[in-house]
Amino acid sequence: MPKCFAEKVCGHWLYFTTHCLLEAMHVHASKDSRLREMGAAKFFVLADGTSRMMAQGTLKDHEVPEVQAFIKQHHAEMFAKWSERSAMGYFGR
């Protein structure tokens, strides 16, 4: 699956995997360029762009709010990419 953005956020790639498409909209964050779920942070995204962290992965505590702010700012773009591959909507719908 594609990266959400070409640039890293707090040194982490934001991405989806093919396994993600069976769940509600969410984003993984990982330093691993292979974009695997193992060891990655996981954020479920709500329609207003806020997110719920389900796994912290390698993110440091102070990086979590930065990643969540980035997700909130860009959630519409991420959802457009998500919707190209999945009929599952935002988290909590």
Side-chain angles (χ1 to χ4, degrees), residues 18-64:
T18 54
H19 301 287
C20 295
L21 302 177
L22 302 175
E23 298 179 305
M25 164 67 175
H26 64 279
V27 176
H28 293 281
S30 177
K31 290 183 177 186
D32 183 353
S33 63
R34 293 175 284 182
L35 308 181
R36 297 180 297 168
E37 289 186 56
M38 185 173 47
K42 183 176 183 177
F43 296 89
F44 277 95
V45 183
L46 287 74
D48 67 357
T50 58
S51 59
R52 303 288 184 264
M53 185 175 67
M54 299 301 186
Q56 190 163 343
T58 59
L59 284 173
K60 294 178 174 59
D61 290 342
H62 70 276
E63 295 172 328
V64 172

